[in-house]
Amino acid sequence: MLHQELRLSIMSFLANVEWANFKKLIEVTQASKGNLSVQITKLQGAGYIKVRKSFQNNYPLTECRITPKGREALEKYVSDIKKLLNI
Amino acid sequence: METTKSLEIIEAMMSESRKSLHRNSFYFLLWGILLVPAGIAEYLFRDMSFAWFVWPVVGVVGGIISMIYGNREAKRTGVQTSTDRITYFTWGAFLFGLAFSIVYAVSNNMMPHALILAFTAVATFISGGISKFQPFIWGGILIGIGAIICGFVLPGTYHPLVFSAAIFLGYVIPGLQLRKKEHE
């Protein structure tokens, strides 16, 4: 699940903040709206992130935050990579 | 995706998250601009019975502007870090301390400055520590010294002046330094 560039970018960013909105994730990952939306749905489906949708001044607002399960998965992924690279 | 690429992505995203800092200098400058003249005004009008009234006015005005700015800032950055959360809680607790100090002091015919400065010193010192910004740590210490002077050294007449001086040195000057750093 995490061995995909955009999903890993989203997870790595969210692991270091409390929450980020959709606009911020586009800015940091440089991804297209469509692609980001698809990957966010996949991460949400896996239970790695929580998504809260609301409206602000009639504009849709999507806030994402990492879940404990997602944090654990990211930590395991990093540790597996370190083992592979002998770091 | 190559394994080394994964580490590069993680590192890049960590670096991006560190850039996501809110412009907190606004709060220090806003409260400084409100509190320094409030202290001076209280000293100048010390013989008038309504002189204490500047404090609740300053508290309400500062609170409303801070809330509006906070909402706008959250929209602008689109992100909240753990540092932001700790900062909100620290200054939220400070607002309670500020309100408590004013009500307690006024209802007991005491000068509130020593208590307000003590709470401000704690919040400024913590802000300096969590944001790793040295001028606020020293600012907190300076404001703490102001609290001691008001509490134990000088008579009440001079407390508003000590208050304004402590806020200017320990709050406004570090706020200006932070603003400069934010715009670099």
Side-chain angles (χ1 to χ4, degrees), chain B residues 112-165:
Chain B
H113 309 87
L115 279 172
I116 298 174
L117 284 178
F119 278 114
T120 312
V122 171
T124 308
F125 191 77
I126 294 172
S127 286
I130 55 179
S131 61
K132 294 175 188 154
F133 190 61
Q134 204 81 2
F136 280 135
I137 297 175
W138 287 109
I141 292 169
L142 267 174
I143 296 170
I145 293 169
I148 293 167
I149 294 172
C150 282
F152 304 105
V153 181
L154 286 177
T157 318
Y158 300 105
H159 288 187
L161 287 182
V162 175
F163 177 88
S164 291

Side-chain angles (χ1 to χ4, degrees), chain A residues 3 5 18-19 21 77, chain B residues 1 6 9 75 78 80 85:
Chain A
H3 201 63
E5 215 171 308
E18 294 271 310
W19 56 259
N21 68 20
Y77 180 79
Chain B
M1 181 168 60
S6 301
I9 290 171
K75 259 192 247 171
Q80 182 177 299
R85 188 168 48 88

Side-chain angles (χ1 to χ4, degrees), chain A residues 14 18-20 48-52 63-67:
Chain A
L14 290 178
E18 294 271 310
W19 56 259
Y48 286 2
I49 63 169
K50 242 185 201 171
V51 178
R52 200 182 75 170
E63 281 174 10
C64 305
R65 62 174 73 220
I66 196 166
T67 62

Side-chain angles (χ1 to χ4, degrees), chain A residues 2-5 8-9 12-13 16-21 24 28-29 56-57 77-78 81 84-85 87, chain B residues 1-7 9-10 13-14 16-17 20 71 74-82 85:
Chain A
L2 294 180
H3 201 63
Q4 196 272 355
E5 215 171 308
L8 183 61
S9 298
S12 306
F13 186 75
N16 289 288
V17 300
E18 294 271 310
W19 56 259
N21 68 20
K24 182 72 188 178
V28 296
T29 60
Q56 201 165 48
N57 301 328
Y77 180 79
V78 172
I81 282 180
L84 267 174
L85 294 171
I87 300 176
Chain B
M1 181 168 60
E2 281 179 34
T3 330
T4 46
K5 175 82 179 163
S6 301
L7 283 182
I9 290 171
I10 294 166
M13 287 299 117
M14 276 176 75
E16 279 295 334
S17 69
S20 304
N71 277 333
K75 259 192 247 171
R76 184 188 69 83
T77 55
V79 64
Q80 182 177 299
T81 63
S82 51
R85 188 168 48 88

Side-chain angles (χ1 to χ4, degrees), chain A residues 5-70:
Chain A
E5 215 171 308
L6 183 51
R7 285 200 288 267
L8 183 61
S9 298
I10 298 167
M11 290 294 286
S12 306
F13 186 75
L14 290 178
N16 289 288
V17 300
E18 294 271 310
W19 56 259
N21 68 20
F22 194 75
K23 204 174 142 194
K24 182 72 188 178
L25 289 173
I26 285 180
E27 183 194 315
V28 296
T29 60
Q30 307 278 306
S32 67
K33 278 184 188 176
N35 196 8
L36 185 66
S37 187
V38 168
Q39 302 312 330
I40 282 176
T41 309
K42 283 188 182 172
L43 288 169
Q44 188 186 13
Y48 286 2
I49 63 169
K50 242 185 201 171
V51 178
R52 200 182 75 170
K53 292 190 181 207
S54 59
F55 281 90
Q56 201 165 48
N57 301 328
N58 290 327
Y59 287 98
L61 189 74
T62 306
E63 281 174 10
C64 305
R65 62 174 73 220
I66 196 166
T67 62
K69 189 182 171 188

